[in-house]
Amino acid sequence: RDFKKPMKWFCMPSFFRHERQQRGRLREFYQLNCDLIGEASSSADAEMIALVIDIMRGLGFGKNDFVIRVSDRNAWASFASARGVGAERLIDFLDVIDKLERAANEQTRTKLAAFGVTLEDVRAFIADPAAEHGALRALADDLAARGLEDFVELDLTIVRGLAYYTGVVFEVFDRGKKERALAGGGRYDKLLSLMSDGKTDLPALGFGMGDVVLGNLIDDTPHAAEKMRAWIAKHHAADLYVVIAKEVRRADALAIVQQLRDAGYRTDFPLAAAKVGKQFQAAEHLGARLAVLVGDEWPQVKIKTLATREEELIDHEKLAQRLSEIIASPG
């Protein structure tokens, strides 16, 4: 109630599932959840799908690597109603449609027959371009205006298994069809009312994207894997590592650590006495570009560029200025 609508928010917590571990599904995983609350227009659906596309592109994937398959549960609701499937049976009917691509045809025929529907009728509806009118056409036009149409396919076989979805739904897949869905979501316009006993009634939509399948796809896609490695190299844990070469100089080293941190440098150091070699190993593990040695040369300190092994001595009072010059240089 305290926020202007529409609201856009996200979270990225850890989740747990109680099932057998397998490729793409672990018992513990992280999931990015993005939601847009308080907007009923198809432009909100397009905005959410555009966000998914931007995230995937930001991770290094292109239109040849992934596709977002989009559908509309309202279209299926109309299909089912026209064939005498009551609203109270709609969720069970959609559960059959959700497994259409995974279940054997004869098994699907038997389940559909219980609703008075044939498999041929279902497949004809999926193939009918007229079924993609309305919300799906408006959505496609919006994404085309953004130049994102190559990332999206209208596909009525996508219905999402969860009962709370009420309109447009979508799932993200790799083009090679090696992985499970990378992300999925859609509209849940009645969920907030249901969860608040009718006190809050706002249209809403969102999606979830787990890290496990995404990690598999990154590992299997060379250009995405390279982008990840470049990001990790750039976003290292430390800029500088203060090596305490002589324990008697620890107090002086701590003063330097704090000075560098106050100047905005990500700085680390050994919390306990350690051999100099191990300290350099720690510096390289953290991705530090420079090491500052505090030891026998005091009041001078030694600056060492870890990549080239170049060293220079400088008075500790001029350290901050010299470091700013080194770090600002292209090399």
Side-chain angles (χ1 to χ4, degrees), residues 33-81:
N33 298 312
C34 297
D35 299 272
L36 198 160
I37 297 170
E39 178 56 59
S41 71
S42 63
S43 62
D45 300 277
E47 177 75 352
M48 191 60 67
I49 291 173
L51 173 60
V52 177
I53 294 171
D54 284 344
I55 291 171
M56 293 296 291
R57 291 196 298 181
L59 291 169
F61 299 110
K63 63 182 180 181
N64 295 324
D65 300 314
F66 74 97
V67 61
I68 302 179
R69 297 162 62 186
V70 183
S71 181
D72 185 3
R73 283 171 70 121
N74 286 328
W76 279 110
S78 298
F79 171 90
S81 177

mmCIF file of all heavy atoms in Angstrom, residues 33-81:
data_model
loop_
_atom_site.group_PDB
_atom_site.id
_atom_site.type_symbol
_atom_site.label_atom_id
_atom_site.label_comp_id
_atom_site.label_asym_id
_atom_site.label_seq_id
_atom_site.Cartn_x
_atom_site.Cartn_y
_atom_site.Cartn_z
ATOM 1 N N ASN A 33 13.920 -13.927 -8.761
ATOM 2 C CA ASN A 33 12.489 -13.702 -8.932
ATOM 3 C C ASN A 33 12.248 -12.233 -9.243
ATOM 4 O O ASN A 33 12.711 -11.357 -8.510
ATOM 5 C CB ASN A 33 11.722 -14.075 -7.655
ATOM 6 C CG ASN A 33 11.873 -15.539 -7.303
ATOM 7 O OD1 ASN A 33 11.717 -16.401 -8.144
ATOM 8 N ND2 ASN A 33 12.195 -15.807 -6.054
ATOM 9 N N CYS A 34 11.554 -11.951 -10.333
ATOM 10 C CA CYS A 34 11.212 -10.584 -10.719
ATOM 11 C C CYS A 34 9.708 -10.481 -10.875
ATOM 12 O O CYS A 34 9.083 -11.349 -11.494
ATOM 13 C CB CYS A 34 11.887 -10.203 -12.034
ATOM 14 S SG CYS A 34 13.693 -10.209 -11.962
ATOM 15 N N ASP A 35 9.126 -9.435 -10.313
ATOM 16 C CA ASP A 35 7.674 -9.264 -10.344
ATOM 17 C C ASP A 35 7.314 -7.830 -10.676
ATOM 18 O O ASP A 35 8.047 -6.887 -10.343
ATOM 19 C CB ASP A 35 7.065 -9.634 -8.987
ATOM 20 C CG ASP A 35 7.324 -11.081 -8.612
ATOM 21 O OD1 ASP A 35 6.522 -11.936 -9.004
ATOM 22 O OD2 ASP A 35 8.331 -11.349 -7.942
ATOM 23 N N LEU A 36 6.169 -7.663 -11.329
ATOM 24 C CA LEU A 36 5.617 -6.356 -11.653
ATOM 25 C C LEU A 36 4.169 -6.360 -11.178
ATOM 26 O O LEU A 36 3.364 -7.187 -11.624
ATOM 27 C CB LEU A 36 5.697 -6.105 -13.161
ATOM 28 C CG LEU A 36 5.577 -4.663 -13.647
ATOM 29 C CD1 LEU A 36 6.151 -4.535 -15.056
ATOM 30 C CD2 LEU A 36 4.144 -4.174 -13.629
ATOM 31 N N ILE A 37 3.848 -5.463 -10.256
ATOM 32 C CA ILE A 37 2.554 -5.488 -9.568
ATOM 33 C C ILE A 37 1.797 -4.196 -9.820
ATOM 34 O O ILE A 37 2.349 -3.100 -9.700
ATOM 35 C CB ILE A 37 2.761 -5.697 -8.054
ATOM 36 C CG1 ILE A 37 3.417 -7.061 -7.810
ATOM 37 C CG2 ILE A 37 1.444 -5.599 -7.293
ATOM 38 C CD1 ILE A 37 3.876 -7.273 -6.393
ATOM 39 N N GLY A 38 0.518 -4.344 -10.194
ATOM 40 C CA GLY A 38 -0.344 -3.179 -10.323
ATOM 41 C C GLY A 38 -0.558 -2.686 -11.738
ATOM 42 O O GLY A 38 -1.014 -1.558 -11.922
ATOM 43 N N GLU A 39 -0.285 -3.526 -12.733
ATOM 44 C CA GLU A 39 -0.504 -3.131 -14.129
ATOM 45 C C GLU A 39 -1.096 -4.308 -14.899
ATOM 46 O O GLU A 39 -0.507 -5.388 -14.953
ATOM 47 C CB GLU A 39 0.811 -2.696 -14.782
ATOM 48 C CG GLU A 39 0.690 -2.310 -16.240
ATOM 49 C CD GLU A 39 -0.339 -1.216 -16.481
ATOM 50 O OE1 GLU A 39 -0.179 -0.110 -15.902
ATOM 51 O OE2 GLU A 39 -1.309 -1.484 -17.217
ATOM 52 N N ALA A 40 -2.251 -4.091 -15.503
ATOM 53 C CA ALA A 40 -2.964 -5.177 -16.178
ATOM 54 C C ALA A 40 -2.737 -5.214 -17.678
ATOM 55 O O ALA A 40 -3.115 -6.187 -18.335
ATOM 56 C CB ALA A 40 -4.469 -5.050 -15.901
ATOM 57 N N SER A 41 -2.136 -4.195 -18.268
ATOM 58 C CA SER A 41 -2.026 -4.118 -19.717
ATOM 59 C C SER A 41 -0.990 -5.097 -20.250
ATOM 60 O O SER A 41 -0.089 -5.546 -19.528
ATOM 61 C CB SER A 41 -1.659 -2.704 -20.147
ATOM 62 O OG SER A 41 -0.322 -2.411 -19.789
ATOM 63 N N SER A 42 -1.103 -5.406 -21.554
ATOM 64 C CA SER A 42 -0.157 -6.317 -22.186
ATOM 65 C C SER A 42 1.242 -5.722 -22.242
ATOM 66 O O SER A 42 2.230 -6.453 -22.403
ATOM 67 C CB SER A 42 -0.629 -6.676 -23.598
ATOM 68 O OG SER A 42 -0.670 -5.522 -24.414
ATOM 69 N N SER A 43 1.354 -4.406 -22.113
ATOM 70 C CA SER A 43 2.685 -3.789 -22.112
ATOM 71 C C SER A 43 3.501 -4.264 -20.912
ATOM 72 O O SER A 43 4.738 -4.336 -20.978
ATOM 73 C CB SER A 43 2.574 -2.268 -22.102
ATOM 74 O OG SER A 43 1.915 -1.807 -20.942
ATOM 75 N N ALA A 44 2.833 -4.590 -19.810
ATOM 76 C CA ALA A 44 3.545 -5.117 -18.643
ATOM 77 C C ALA A 44 4.087 -6.514 -18.935
ATOM 78 O O ALA A 44 5.203 -6.855 -18.525
ATOM 79 C CB ALA A 44 2.621 -5.150 -17.426
ATOM 80 N N ASP A 45 3.298 -7.326 -19.659
ATOM 81 C CA ASP A 45 3.779 -8.652 -20.044
ATOM 82 C C ASP A 45 5.006 -8.523 -20.942
ATOM 83 O O ASP A 45 5.996 -9.246 -20.776
ATOM 84 C CB ASP A 45 2.674 -9.416 -20.782
ATOM 85 C CG ASP A 45 1.431 -9.608 -19.932
ATOM 86 O OD1 ASP A 45 1.407 -10.557 -19.128
ATOM 87 O OD2 ASP A 45 0.496 -8.805 -20.062
ATOM 88 N N ALA A 46 4.943 -7.593 -21.887
ATOM 89 C CA ALA A 46 6.080 -7.379 -22.786
ATOM 90 C C ALA A 46 7.296 -6.876 -22.021
ATOM 91 O O ALA A 46 8.435 -7.278 -22.299
ATOM 92 C CB ALA A 46 5.693 -6.387 -23.882
ATOM 93 N N GLU A 47 7.068 -5.995 -21.056
ATOM 94 C CA GLU A 47 8.176 -5.461 -20.253
ATOM 95 C C GLU A 47 8.884 -6.575 -19.493
ATOM 96 O O GLU A 47 10.117 -6.615 -19.398
ATOM 97 C CB GLU A 47 7.639 -4.413 -19.275
ATOM 98 C CG GLU A 47 8.675 -3.831 -18.327
ATOM 99 C CD GLU A 47 9.605 -2.839 -18.995
ATOM 100 O OE1 GLU A 47 9.563 -2.693 -20.224
ATOM 101 O OE2 GLU A 47 10.384 -2.206 -18.269
ATOM 102 N N MET A 48 8.113 -7.518 -18.948
ATOM 103 C CA MET A 48 8.705 -8.608 -18.186
ATOM 104 C C MET A 48 9.501 -9.534 -19.097
ATOM 105 O O MET A 48 10.609 -9.975 -18.755
ATOM 106 C CB MET A 48 7.607 -9.393 -17.465
ATOM 107 C CG MET A 48 8.110 -10.372 -16.437
ATOM 108 S SD MET A 48 9.072 -9.607 -15.112
ATOM 109 C CE MET A 48 7.819 -8.635 -14.277
ATOM 110 N N ILE A 49 8.968 -9.823 -20.269
ATOM 111 C CA ILE A 49 9.684 -10.692 -21.204
ATOM 112 C C ILE A 49 10.930 -9.984 -21.730
ATOM 113 O O ILE A 49 11.989 -10.602 -21.905
ATOM 114 C CB ILE A 49 8.748 -11.125 -22.341
ATOM 115 C CG1 ILE A 49 7.680 -12.079 -21.777
ATOM 116 C CG2 ILE A 49 9.523 -11.791 -23.474
ATOM 117 C CD1 ILE A 49 6.605 -12.456 -22.753
ATOM 118 N N ALA A 50 10.845 -8.672 -21.975
ATOM 119 C CA ALA A 50 12.017 -7.909 -22.392
ATOM 120 C C ALA A 50 13.111 -7.968 -21.327
ATOM 121 O O ALA A 50 14.305 -8.021 -21.645
ATOM 122 C CB ALA A 50 11.625 -6.464 -22.690
ATOM 123 N N LEU A 51 12.705 -7.946 -20.063
ATOM 124 C CA LEU A 51 13.672 -8.059 -18.978
ATOM 125 C C LEU A 51 14.395 -9.400 -19.040
ATOM 126 O O LEU A 51 15.633 -9.462 -18.882
ATOM 127 C CB LEU A 51 12.967 -7.904 -17.627
ATOM 128 C CG LEU A 51 13.820 -8.153 -16.381
ATOM 129 C CD1 LEU A 51 15.002 -7.201 -16.320
ATOM 130 C CD2 LEU A 51 12.972 -8.033 -15.120
ATOM 131 N N VAL A 52 13.655 -10.486 -19.270
ATOM 132 C CA VAL A 52 14.284 -11.800 -19.389
ATOM 133 C C VAL A 52 15.301 -11.807 -20.528
ATOM 134 O O VAL A 52 16.422 -12.305 -20.388
ATOM 135 C CB VAL A 52 13.218 -12.888 -19.628
ATOM 136 C CG1 VAL A 52 13.891 -14.244 -19.825
ATOM 137 C CG2 VAL A 52 12.247 -12.962 -18.469
ATOM 138 N N ILE A 53 14.906 -11.228 -21.656
ATOM 139 C CA ILE A 53 15.806 -11.178 -22.813
ATOM 140 C C ILE A 53 17.073 -10.394 -22.472
ATOM 141 O O ILE A 53 18.192 -10.812 -22.797
ATOM 142 C CB ILE A 53 15.084 -10.551 -24.017
ATOM 143 C CG1 ILE A 53 13.935 -11.463 -24.472
ATOM 144 C CG2 ILE A 53 16.060 -10.311 -25.166
ATOM 145 C CD1 ILE A 53 13.027 -10.830 -25.510
ATOM 146 N N ASP A 54 16.913 -9.259 -21.804
ATOM 147 C CA ASP A 54 18.080 -8.448 -21.444
ATOM 148 C C ASP A 54 18.998 -9.185 -20.472
ATOM 149 O O ASP A 54 20.229 -9.068 -20.553
ATOM 150 C CB ASP A 54 17.630 -7.118 -20.841
ATOM 151 C CG ASP A 54 17.124 -6.148 -21.893
ATOM 152 O OD1 ASP A 54 17.401 -6.377 -23.090
ATOM 153 O OD2 ASP A 54 16.453 -5.163 -21.526
ATOM 154 N N ILE A 55 18.421 -9.921 -19.535
ATOM 155 C CA ILE A 55 19.237 -10.695 -18.600
ATOM 156 C C ILE A 55 20.040 -11.755 -19.357
ATOM 157 O O ILE A 55 21.253 -11.910 -19.145
ATOM 158 C CB ILE A 55 18.362 -11.351 -17.522
ATOM 159 C CG1 ILE A 55 17.787 -10.294 -16.581
ATOM 160 C CG2 ILE A 55 19.157 -12.387 -16.721
ATOM 161 C CD1 ILE A 55 16.750 -10.830 -15.617
ATOM 162 N N MET A 56 19.370 -12.480 -20.230
ATOM 163 C CA MET A 56 20.052 -13.532 -20.990
ATOM 164 C C MET A 56 21.142 -12.948 -21.884
ATOM 165 O O MET A 56 22.236 -13.506 -21.982
ATOM 166 C CB MET A 56 19.035 -14.312 -21.820
ATOM 167 C CG MET A 56 18.048 -15.134 -21.000
ATOM 168 S SD MET A 56 18.848 -16.451 -20.053
ATOM 169 C CE MET A 56 19.354 -17.550 -21.385
ATOM 170 N N ARG A 57 20.857 -11.822 -22.530
ATOM 171 C CA ARG A 57 21.883 -11.184 -23.362
ATOM 172 C C ARG A 57 23.039 -10.679 -22.510
ATOM 173 O O ARG A 57 24.204 -10.736 -22.917
ATOM 174 C CB ARG A 57 21.270 -10.054 -24.180
ATOM 175 C CG ARG A 57 20.315 -10.550 -25.260
ATOM 176 C CD ARG A 57 20.010 -9.482 -26.295
ATOM 177 N NE ARG A 57 19.353 -8.319 -25.707
ATOM 178 C CZ ARG A 57 18.972 -7.259 -26.414
ATOM 179 N NH1 ARG A 57 19.177 -7.226 -27.724
ATOM 180 N NH2 ARG A 57 18.366 -6.246 -25.819
ATOM 181 N N GLY A 58 22.712 -10.171 -21.318
ATOM 182 C CA GLY A 58 23.758 -9.710 -20.414
ATOM 183 C C GLY A 58 24.679 -10.828 -19.972
ATOM 184 O O GLY A 58 25.851 -10.596 -19.647
ATOM 185 N N LEU A 59 24.173 -12.059 -19.966
ATOM 186 C CA LEU A 59 24.984 -13.218 -19.596
ATOM 187 C C LEU A 59 25.783 -13.767 -20.771
ATOM 188 O O LEU A 59 26.527 -14.739 -20.614
ATOM 189 C CB LEU A 59 24.078 -14.319 -19.024
ATOM 190 C CG LEU A 59 23.452 -13.991 -17.672
ATOM 191 C CD1 LEU A 59 22.373 -15.010 -17.328
ATOM 192 C CD2 LEU A 59 24.500 -13.956 -16.574
ATOM 193 N N GLY A 60 25.610 -13.152 -21.958
ATOM 194 C CA GLY A 60 26.408 -13.556 -23.108
ATOM 195 C C GLY A 60 25.686 -14.400 -24.128
ATOM 196 O O GLY A 60 26.302 -14.875 -25.093
ATOM 197 N N PHE A 61 24.376 -14.606 -23.963
ATOM 198 C CA PHE A 61 23.618 -15.416 -24.904
ATOM 199 C C PHE A 61 22.989 -14.545 -25.987
ATOM 200 O O PHE A 61 22.584 -13.411 -25.729
ATOM 201 C CB PHE A 61 22.508 -16.188 -24.180
ATOM 202 C CG PHE A 61 23.009 -17.140 -23.138
ATOM 203 C CD1 PHE A 61 22.806 -16.897 -21.795
ATOM 204 C CD2 PHE A 61 23.693 -18.288 -23.511
ATOM 205 C CE1 PHE A 61 23.267 -17.773 -20.825
ATOM 206 C CE2 PHE A 61 24.166 -19.174 -22.548
ATOM 207 C CZ PHE A 61 23.957 -18.909 -21.204
ATOM 208 N N GLY A 62 22.884 -15.109 -27.195
ATOM 209 C CA GLY A 62 22.253 -14.414 -28.302
ATOM 210 C C GLY A 62 21.000 -15.132 -28.767
ATOM 211 O O GLY A 62 20.590 -16.140 -28.199
ATOM 212 N N LYS A 63 20.401 -14.617 -29.841
ATOM 213 C CA LYS A 63 19.133 -15.176 -30.324
ATOM 214 C C LYS A 63 19.277 -16.609 -30.831
ATOM 215 O O LYS A 63 18.275 -17.330 -30.925
ATOM 216 C CB LYS A 63 18.557 -14.288 -31.422
ATOM 217 C CG LYS A 63 19.414 -14.190 -32.671
ATOM 218 C CD LYS A 63 18.791 -13.247 -33.681
ATOM 219 C CE LYS A 63 19.645 -13.135 -34.939
ATOM 220 N NZ LYS A 63 19.046 -12.190 -35.922
ATOM 221 N N ASN A 64 20.489 -17.024 -31.144
ATOM 222 C CA ASN A 64 20.710 -18.402 -31.580
ATOM 223 C C ASN A 64 20.919 -19.357 -30.414
ATOM 224 O O ASN A 64 21.026 -20.573 -30.621
ATOM 225 C CB ASN A 64 21.917 -18.478 -32.523
ATOM 226 C CG ASN A 64 21.683 -17.735 -33.818
ATOM 227 O OD1 ASN A 64 20.567 -17.720 -34.343
ATOM 228 N ND2 ASN A 64 22.726 -17.101 -34.334
ATOM 229 N N ASP A 65 20.981 -18.805 -29.201
ATOM 230 C CA ASP A 65 21.234 -19.625 -28.012
ATOM 231 C C ASP A 65 19.974 -19.937 -27.214
ATOM 232 O O ASP A 65 19.895 -20.990 -26.571
ATOM 233 C CB ASP A 65 22.238 -18.923 -27.085
ATOM 234 C CG ASP A 65 23.571 -18.675 -27.755
ATOM 235 O OD1 ASP A 65 24.089 -19.606 -28.401
ATOM 236 O OD2 ASP A 65 24.094 -17.550 -27.639
ATOM 237 N N PHE A 66 19.005 -19.044 -27.227
ATOM 238 C CA PHE A 66 17.806 -19.261 -26.403
ATOM 239 C C PHE A 66 16.572 -18.700 -27.090
ATOM 240 O O PHE A 66 16.659 -17.877 -28.003
ATOM 241 C CB PHE A 66 17.970 -18.630 -25.014
ATOM 242 C CG PHE A 66 17.861 -17.125 -25.005
ATOM 243 C CD1 PHE A 66 16.649 -16.505 -24.686
ATOM 244 C CD2 PHE A 66 18.946 -16.324 -25.305
ATOM 245 C CE1 PHE A 66 16.544 -15.115 -24.674
ATOM 246 C CE2 PHE A 66 18.848 -14.937 -25.293
ATOM 247 C CZ PHE A 66 17.642 -14.334 -24.971
ATOM 248 N N VAL A 67 15.409 -19.156 -26.624
ATOM 249 C CA VAL A 67 14.130 -18.670 -27.138
ATOM 250 C C VAL A 67 13.131 -18.625 -25.986
ATOM 251 O O VAL A 67 13.184 -19.456 -25.067
ATOM 252 C CB VAL A 67 13.601 -19.582 -28.267
ATOM 253 C CG1 VAL A 67 13.355 -21.010 -27.768
ATOM 254 C CG2 VAL A 67 12.338 -19.001 -28.883
ATOM 255 N N ILE A 68 12.250 -17.647 -26.007
ATOM 256 C CA ILE A 68 11.173 -17.543 -25.022
ATOM 257 C C ILE A 68 9.876 -17.975 -25.694
ATOM 258 O O ILE A 68 9.434 -17.361 -26.661
ATOM 259 C CB ILE A 68 11.044 -16.114 -24.472
ATOM 260 C CG1 ILE A 68 12.367 -15.680 -23.839
ATOM 261 C CG2 ILE A 68 9.910 -16.029 -23.457
ATOM 262 C CD1 ILE A 68 12.353 -14.279 -23.276
ATOM 263 N N ARG A 69 9.309 -19.034 -25.210
ATOM 264 C CA ARG A 69 8.061 -19.574 -25.763
ATOM 265 C C ARG A 69 6.895 -19.025 -24.943
ATOM 266 O O ARG A 69 6.830 -19.230 -23.721
ATOM 267 C CB ARG A 69 8.105 -21.094 -25.760
ATOM 268 C CG ARG A 69 9.212 -21.644 -26.664
ATOM 269 C CD ARG A 69 9.558 -23.088 -26.355
ATOM 270 N NE ARG A 69 8.426 -23.975 -26.570
ATOM 271 C CZ ARG A 69 8.458 -25.268 -26.263
ATOM 272 N NH1 ARG A 69 9.542 -25.809 -25.724
ATOM 273 N NH2 ARG A 69 7.402 -26.023 -26.482
ATOM 274 N N VAL A 70 5.984 -18.337 -25.617
ATOM 275 C CA VAL A 70 4.921 -17.575 -24.952
ATOM 276 C C VAL A 70 3.555 -18.147 -25.317
ATOM 277 O O VAL A 70 3.307 -18.524 -26.471
ATOM 278 C CB VAL A 70 4.979 -16.090 -25.359
ATOM 279 C CG1 VAL A 70 3.924 -15.293 -24.596
ATOM 280 C CG2 VAL A 70 6.367 -15.524 -25.116
ATOM 281 N N SER A 71 2.669 -18.206 -24.325
ATOM 282 C CA SER A 71 1.313 -18.703 -24.537
ATOM 283 C C SER A 71 0.332 -17.878 -23.705
ATOM 284 O O SER A 71 0.728 -16.913 -23.032
ATOM 285 C CB SER A 71 1.233 -20.189 -24.151
ATOM 286 O OG SER A 71 -0.056 -20.713 -24.368
ATOM 287 N N ASP A 72 -0.955 -18.256 -23.764
ATOM 288 C CA ASP A 72 -1.994 -17.527 -23.021
ATOM 289 C C ASP A 72 -2.996 -18.532 -22.472
ATOM 290 O O ASP A 72 -3.697 -19.215 -23.230
ATOM 291 C CB ASP A 72 -2.695 -16.532 -23.954
ATOM 292 C CG ASP A 72 -3.705 -15.666 -23.210
ATOM 293 O OD1 ASP A 72 -3.824 -15.804 -21.971
ATOM 294 O OD2 ASP A 72 -4.370 -14.852 -23.869
ATOM 295 N N ARG A 73 -3.077 -18.630 -21.168
ATOM 296 C CA ARG A 73 -4.012 -19.578 -20.556
ATOM 297 C C ARG A 73 -5.463 -19.179 -20.820
ATOM 298 O O ARG A 73 -6.356 -20.037 -20.802
ATOM 299 C CB ARG A 73 -3.737 -19.676 -19.054
ATOM 300 C CG ARG A 73 -2.500 -20.524 -18.772
ATOM 301 C CD ARG A 73 -2.078 -20.459 -17.327
ATOM 302 N NE ARG A 73 -2.985 -21.125 -16.434
ATOM 303 C CZ ARG A 73 -2.643 -22.133 -15.624
ATOM 304 N NH1 ARG A 73 -1.412 -22.604 -15.661
ATOM 305 N NH2 ARG A 73 -3.509 -22.669 -14.797
ATOM 306 N N ASN A 74 -5.710 -17.906 -21.053
ATOM 307 C CA ASN A 74 -7.081 -17.496 -21.366
ATOM 308 C C ASN A 74 -7.547 -18.112 -22.681
ATOM 309 O O ASN A 74 -8.734 -18.437 -22.846
ATOM 310 C CB ASN A 74 -7.173 -15.975 -21.432
ATOM 311 C CG ASN A 74 -7.124 -15.338 -20.064
ATOM 312 O OD1 ASN A 74 -7.581 -15.911 -19.079
ATOM 313 N ND2 ASN A 74 -6.540 -14.157 -19.979
ATOM 314 N N ALA A 75 -6.618 -18.249 -23.644
ATOM 315 C CA ALA A 75 -6.978 -18.894 -24.902
ATOM 316 C C ALA A 75 -7.394 -20.340 -24.662
ATOM 317 O O ALA A 75 -8.358 -20.831 -25.247
ATOM 318 C CB ALA A 75 -5.804 -18.827 -25.875
ATOM 319 N N TRP A 76 -6.672 -21.016 -23.778
ATOM 320 C CA TRP A 76 -7.022 -22.398 -23.446
ATOM 321 C C TRP A 76 -8.323 -22.464 -22.658
ATOM 322 O O TRP A 76 -9.104 -23.421 -22.823
ATOM 323 C CB TRP A 76 -5.891 -23.049 -22.658
ATOM 324 C CG TRP A 76 -4.782 -23.539 -23.524
ATOM 325 C CD1 TRP A 76 -3.521 -23.034 -23.623
ATOM 326 C CD2 TRP A 76 -4.836 -24.629 -24.437
ATOM 327 N NE1 TRP A 76 -2.790 -23.743 -24.533
ATOM 328 C CE2 TRP A 76 -3.570 -24.729 -25.058
ATOM 329 C CE3 TRP A 76 -5.836 -25.528 -24.800
ATOM 330 C CZ2 TRP A 76 -3.274 -25.701 -26.006
ATOM 331 C CZ3 TRP A 76 -5.547 -26.491 -25.756
ATOM 332 C CH2 TRP A 76 -4.278 -26.576 -26.356
ATOM 333 N N ALA A 77 -8.563 -21.488 -21.804
ATOM 334 C CA ALA A 77 -9.825 -21.468 -21.055
ATOM 335 C C ALA A 77 -11.013 -21.356 -22.008
ATOM 336 O O ALA A 77 -12.042 -22.030 -21.834
ATOM 337 C CB ALA A 77 -9.822 -20.316 -20.054
ATOM 338 N N SER A 78 -10.872 -20.520 -23.028
ATOM 339 C CA SER A 78 -11.934 -20.376 -24.030
ATOM 340 C C SER A 78 -12.099 -21.666 -24.823
ATOM 341 O O SER A 78 -13.231 -22.097 -25.097
ATOM 342 C CB SER A 78 -11.614 -19.216 -24.978
ATOM 343 O OG SER A 78 -11.541 -17.999 -24.269
ATOM 344 N N PHE A 79 -10.992 -22.294 -25.188
ATOM 345 C CA PHE A 79 -11.029 -23.564 -25.907
ATOM 346 C C PHE A 79 -11.767 -24.622 -25.083
ATOM 347 O O PHE A 79 -12.649 -25.331 -25.586
ATOM 348 C CB PHE A 79 -9.603 -24.022 -26.204
ATOM 349 C CG PHE A 79 -9.482 -25.414 -26.754
ATOM 350 C CD1 PHE A 79 -9.523 -25.633 -28.117
ATOM 351 C CD2 PHE A 79 -9.312 -26.498 -25.902
ATOM 352 C CE1 PHE A 79 -9.405 -26.932 -28.628
ATOM 353 C CE2 PHE A 79 -9.200 -27.791 -26.403
ATOM 354 C CZ PHE A 79 -9.250 -28.011 -27.770
ATOM 355 N N ALA A 80 -11.406 -24.734 -23.829
ATOM 356 C CA ALA A 80 -12.013 -25.753 -22.967
ATOM 357 C C ALA A 80 -13.490 -25.477 -22.738
ATOM 358 O O ALA A 80 -14.333 -26.394 -22.791
ATOM 359 C CB ALA A 80 -11.269 -25.805 -21.635
ATOM 360 N N SER A 81 -13.840 -24.219 -22.492
ATOM 361 C CA SER A 81 -15.241 -23.871 -22.251
ATOM 362 C C SER A 81 -16.112 -24.196 -23.458
ATOM 363 O O SER A 81 -17.240 -24.691 -23.313
ATOM 364 C CB SER A 81 -15.341 -22.385 -21.899
ATOM 365 O OG SER A 81 -16.686 -21.993 -21.721
#
